[in-house]
Amino acid sequence: MDSFLIKGGVPLHGEVTISGSKNAALPIMAATLLTDEPCIVRRVPDLSDTRFMVKILESLGATVKFENGTLTVHAKKIKGYADYDLVRKMRGSICIMGPLLGRLRQARVSLPGGCIIGARPINLHLKGFEALGAKIKIESGYIDATAKKLAGNSLFLGGRAGPTVLGTANVMMAAALADGVTIIESAACEPEVVDLANFLNAMGANIAGVGSPTITITGVKKLHGAEHEVIPDRIETATFMVAAGATNGEITIKGGRADHLRAVIDKLKEAGVSVERSGANMIVRRSGTLKPVDVTTLPYSGFPTDVQAQMMSLLALAKGISIITERIFESRFMHVSELARLGADIEIEGPSAIIKGGKPLSGAPVMASDLRASAALVIAGLAAKGSTQVNRIYHLDRGYEQMDVKLRKLGARIQRVEEK
Ligand code: EPZ
């Protein structure tokens, strides 16, 4: 298993270009199953998660080409069940259910595993499919969804932590080919859901209200092929913003979308990291000493849970007490114990982490546990004195395109160490 070897203490300087959004690309890749015509999707990030989704599409019978960020998918004829192991290994692949149900009125996938950040239930996805008329059966680790008719309906999709991003995506994709109108209340408003709806509408779907908590989908008989460019990855953008602040550097971010990051930019400003627009770019630098702040993760447009771990690394450097409260997932603090190895002083109290910031961080070997926790450890390693080895970096490769290459271009002393 590869690891990153980082020699910290170097302020980041220079330009970084943001890749396409992993969390927009995955449901959009699934949406290509909704038509028997070819689709072209551009700015797809080359990640282990997107390559995995290519395998899943091929296992369903689609012909897929993925080169230099451009994906061509032709799902001329597909089957309604996905390889058990493939779906089980990547949670994001649950979003093939909606398209299979929409196109074939039948879907059979393995129950997606939970993961280290929480149980990751799919009860809301299934509630949405049933509202459209699907019969759901769960046995021997598979979910079987079948629908003689898929009829539009009004449904409330909010759960214990508010809206569901992939649940909204899944129901929207099934409803696109249902008979009649579907109204989803408490729909997710994330930019990735908006991007998916834009792709579906380009395919001939009729979706309105996306980006708001109420989405209206008027089913159509058939969808045609379309071309689309995926939005930039707002979580990667935020990760580099935090890294610039943590290393007291100054970077120019190209290709990011400030309008997708208002909560993060606002919180960074409060913590002493400024983000200024310069044309289409953003310039990020410290605006003085780092200050302690309180952060609560919320559904969009609140502070994103996917930036919580990275923010914790920054606040470990800000003298004073900061409190981070995680409201979306039940156990997304795996990075706390690893940050402690670098000298961070953080205590967990229920859904909150209390950070006694300002103690100097010093390098040590640490273990990545999930995608965003890995990013937090890299950021802390960049800011710490001495060397940090971040092990199990495959977690990071799931969601960041060439992070080590991009960081080296910004002056970081970071090497990928390939395990023999
Ligand atoms: C998406 O996951 C993202 N993944 C996650 O990013 C992100 O953290 C999450 O949305 C929240 O923003 C992709 O888009 C591939 P949810 P998703 O359904 O859709 C509960 C990353 O690091 N819930 O919005 O699976 C759930 O337990 C990843 O890139 C139910 O209770 O998340 C959680 O508490 C991590 N029942 C909350 O809702 C359901 O049926 C939000 O989950 C579904 C979800």
Side-chain angles (χ1 to χ4, degrees):
M1 286 184 240
D2 290 3
S3 53
F4 279 166
L5 190 56
I6 299 165
K7 282 204 176 13
V10 177
L12 299 182
H13 280 281
E15 286 183 356
V16 62
T17 301
I18 299 301
S19 300
S21 161
K22 162 181 90 82
N23 290 349
L26 292 174
I28 286 171
M29 290 170 79
T32 61
L33 296 166
L34 281 162
T35 175
D36 59 4
E37 297 179 13
C39 293
I40 298 177
V41 188
R42 295 191 173 78
R43 196 162 49 185
V44 175
D46 188 356
L47 307 165
S48 47
D49 270 13
T50 49
R51 290 206 165 273
F52 207 79
M53 185 56 98
V54 167
K55 282 208 189 88
I56 288 173
L57 297 179
E58 287 172 335
S59 76
L60 292 165
T63 314
V64 187
K65 212 171 88 197
F66 184 25
E67 263 158 27
N68 310 323
T70 298
L71 188 89
T72 312
V73 184
H74 192 184
K76 199 164 174 49
K77 260 176 80 42
I78 53 169
K79 59 186 189 192
Y81 54 91
D83 173 294
Y84 186 92
D85 262 346
L86 281 179
V87 173
R88 198 173 51 79
K89 281 198 193 114
M90 182 179 76
R91 179 186 158 71
S93 53
I94 187 68
C95 60
I96 63 171
M97 276 202 86
L100 292 177
L101 209 45
R103 175 141 174 224
L104 303 175
R105 301 300 194 255
Q106 184 246 338
R108 178 180 164 81
V109 297
S110 61
L111 269 168
C115 61
I116 203 120
I117 61 177
R120 311 296 293 273
I122 56 161
N123 59 308
L124 299 171
H125 299 237
L126 303 182
K127 173 184 177 182
F129 296 148
E130 286 173 326
L132 299 178
K135 294 272 167 287
I136 305 284
K137 226 171 55 189
I138 296 184
E139 60 183 11
S140 45
Y142 278 98
I143 314 161
D144 255 319
T146 47
K148 286 196 185 50
K149 252 173 68 53
L150 217 52
N153 198 349
S154 293
L155 66 137
F156 182 83
L157 211 50
R160 49 176 283 283
T164 161
V165 172
L166 288 182
T168 303
N170 246 338
V171 175
M172 199 161 69
M173 290 189 278
L177 286 176
D179 305 321
V181 179
T182 296
I183 297 177
I184 303 176
E185 296 287 358
S186 186
C189 304
E190 273 69 4
E192 294 76 26
V193 174
V194 175
D195 205 31
L196 170 65
N198 291 339
F199 177 56
L200 291 169
N201 283 339
M203 294 169 79
N206 181 348
I207 300 171
V210 71
S212 85
T214 305
I215 299 180
T216 305
I217 304 116
T218 306
V220 295
K221 282 275 159 275
K222 200 171 167 339
L223 293 175
H224 51 71
E227 296 201 22
H228 182 78
E229 180 170 272
V230 173
I231 53 171
D233 193 312
R234 63 190 168 100
I235 308 302
E236 183 193 28
T237 308
T239 303
F240 278 102
M241 287 176 172
V242 173
T247 59
N248 197 6
E250 175 174 325
I251 67 170
T252 299
I253 294 181
K254 298 167 79 85
R257 288 270 305 258
D259 60 321
H260 288 167
L261 284 164
R262 290 198 202 290
V264 171
I265 292 171
D266 180 59
K267 202 42 89 174
L268 285 173
K269 188 170 164 213
E270 197 187 326
V273 179
S274 74
V275 178
E276 273 151 44
R277 312 279 288 264
S278 149
N281 300 333
M282 290 179 265
I283 297 173
V284 189
R285 63 170 82 85
R286 272 199 203 166
S287 52
T289 50
L290 290 177
K291 301 181 201 63
V293 296
D294 294 342
V295 179
T296 298
T297 65
L298 289 168
Y300 193 84
S301 57
F303 192 93
T305 174
D306 293 347
V307 184
Q308 179 257 101
Q310 301 90 312
M311 200 65 189
M312 194 178 288
S313 295
L314 180 75
L315 295 175
L317 304 164
K319 202 163 173 40
I321 305 279
S322 296
I323 301 176
I324 293 186
T325 303
E326 172 59 57
R327 288 278 179 234
I328 305 296
F329 289 108
E330 58 269 35
S331 60
R332 197 168 198 176
F333 285 142
M334 298 300 288
H335 39 289
V336 170
S337 51
E338 295 306 298
L339 288 173
R341 289 178 199 281
L342 301 174
D345 182 350
I346 305 167
E347 267 167 53
I348 298 175
E349 282 291 328
S352 298
I354 296 146
I355 300 132
K356 295 184 188 104
K359 299 188 168 79
L361 299 184
S362 52
V366 288
M367 185 79 79
S369 55
D370 64 277
L371 170 53
R372 307 303 173 184
S374 329
L377 296 175
V378 170
I379 290 169
L382 291 169
K385 263 198 311 306
S387 312
T388 296
Q389 172 140 350
V390 184
N391 295 307
R392 298 194 181 168
I393 215 66
Y394 64 85
H395 288 293
L396 195 118
D397 290 335
R398 284 192 40 219
Y400 288 95
E401 197 173 37
Q402 297 197 319
M403 180 186 256
D404 48 332
V405 175
K406 291 184 177 183
L407 284 170
R408 263 199 303 280
K409 281 203 188 111
L410 290 171
R413 289 175 302 198
I414 178 171
Q415 291 302 329
R416 178 183 289 267
V417 177
E418 266 153 38
E419 193 178 318
K420 296 286 166 271

